Amino acid sequence: MSNQIKPQPGILDIALYEGGKAQLPGVTNVVKLSSNENPFGPSDKAKEAFSRSIHSLHRYPGTDHADLRTAIAEVHRLDPDRIICGAGSDEIITFLCQAYAGPRDEVVFTEHGFLMYRISSLAVGATPVEVPERERTADVDAILAACNRRTKLVFIANPNNPTGTMISAAEVARLADALPPQALLVLDGAYAEYVEGYDGGASLVDARQNVVMTRTFSKIYGLGGLRIGWGYGLRPVIDVLNRIRGPFNLSTAQLDAAEAAVRDQDHVNKCRSENTRLRAWLAGALAELGVPTDTSMANFVLARFASQDEAEACDTFLQKQGLIVRRVAGYKLPHCLRITIGDEASCRQVAHAVAQFKGVK
Ligand SMILES: *Cc1c(COP(=O)(O)O)cnc(C)c1O
């Protein structure tokens, strides 16, 4: 190819995102605990809505997502006109970077932050700025110290992936209040539903002028395969994002399934309480085996080993038992493994296998 045909600066710096492994060669019954998926799957109502959508495959979907936005707004008590829906919250993150950052701008996120922040920043030619965390937890002072006149976006996931840790509403508010005037704070609430009584930052979006929240149907709603997410912000921000959103970015199947899913909060509550129970059980079992975890507020735990070698050896051992967890060296945590909270049988299998690995029984 002609060497004058070149992609935009930054694009060749993007390391390809690797999803959680789903298969192991030669193993039939794998337990996939590598992508923070809901072991209970989606609400039956969402599956029924998805099935019904086969009758309208020849029709274009609506462009304004009004029914889904209304449903989200009713359930969360928000203004539907300040909601935008996307193909996963990844697409909302992409829109935010496209709209607010470009060459010579900086996008700030933390050391163990979600990889899409870096990828989406580089994709628009902006400079990713990675800030140290304290004990695998976002450090507001360090984030503020990294901000300057070029900072356009600051991303934090609360709770964060892959650490599972969370900072308080007061800390998030302090961050919003001290940001430079041209910077927008993005609160990624992918795991917000797992935190009892937490609004994902929606009230801070309402109380401040510089905060946006992103949410997803991929985690507690169990619809990762369908790709639906949403964002909530000030009207001018949502208006900007809608200008770059493709009119048909969500299919009828996505819209209908998501609407049914969000209206079934019984399913959400059941999944949250099972997750809370099993997460505490697994964290306790791992602690007894000498494998500490930070207090996780999400649907996974980050298991810490003595070294990268031990973490990798344990991962290899788990794989032999058909258990797939996530290596997180790409998140600068080479001595850790991220383990999704599966159903009770999976959690017991993980604890049993780690015990065998540790030579406990
Ligand atoms: C899983 C996850 C998302 C959700 O991505 P989708 O595109 O909505 O599937 C967003 N942020 C974080 C931190 C995540 O872990």
Side-chain angles (χ1 to χ4, degrees), residues 88-90 114 117 157 161 188 190-191 216 218-219 227:
S89 48
D90 283 358
F114 188 42
Y117 309 149
N161 169 21
D188 179 336
Y191 302 95
T216 185
S218 301
K219 304 288 157 56
R227 316 303 306 128

Side-chain angles (χ1 to χ4, degrees), residues 252-297:
T252 307
Q254 287 168 299
L255 293 165
D256 292 355
E259 184 185 342
V262 77
R263 290 196 184 280
D264 187 358
Q265 288 296 306
D266 287 347
H267 183 71
V268 172
N269 293 333
K270 185 195 106 188
C271 295
R272 178 194 305 113
S273 60
E274 274 299 274
N275 181 74
T276 303
R277 179 176 76 84
L278 293 168
R279 183 181 62 202
W281 183 85
L282 182 62
L286 291 171
E288 276 180 31
L289 297 168
V291 179
T293 58
D294 295 309
T295 300
S296 170
M297 302 304 287

Side-chain angles (χ1 to χ4, degrees), residues 170-249:
E171 278 293 272
V172 179
R174 183 165 79 84
L175 174 60
D177 288 339
L179 287 179
Q182 77 290 345
L184 188 58
L185 173 62
V186 184
L187 296 177
D188 179 336
Y191 302 95
E193 293 85 358
Y194 286 104
V195 186
E196 178 88 51
Y198 175 53
D199 69 358
S203 54
L204 193 70
V205 174
D206 289 340
R208 299 294 188 278
Q209 301 289 307
N210 61 346
V211 185
V212 184
M213 170 180 77
T214 63
R215 301 287 285 265
T216 185
F217 283 89
S218 301
K219 304 288 157 56
I220 209 164
Y221 286 100
L223 289 169
L226 209 48
R227 316 303 306 128
I228 316 133
W230 55 284
Y232 177 65
L234 285 186
R235 237 173 233 265
V237 172
I238 298 304
D239 172 64
V240 161
L241 302 183
N242 267 321
R243 286 167 197 266
I244 51 178
R245 177 176 69 80
F248 305 112
N249 65 324

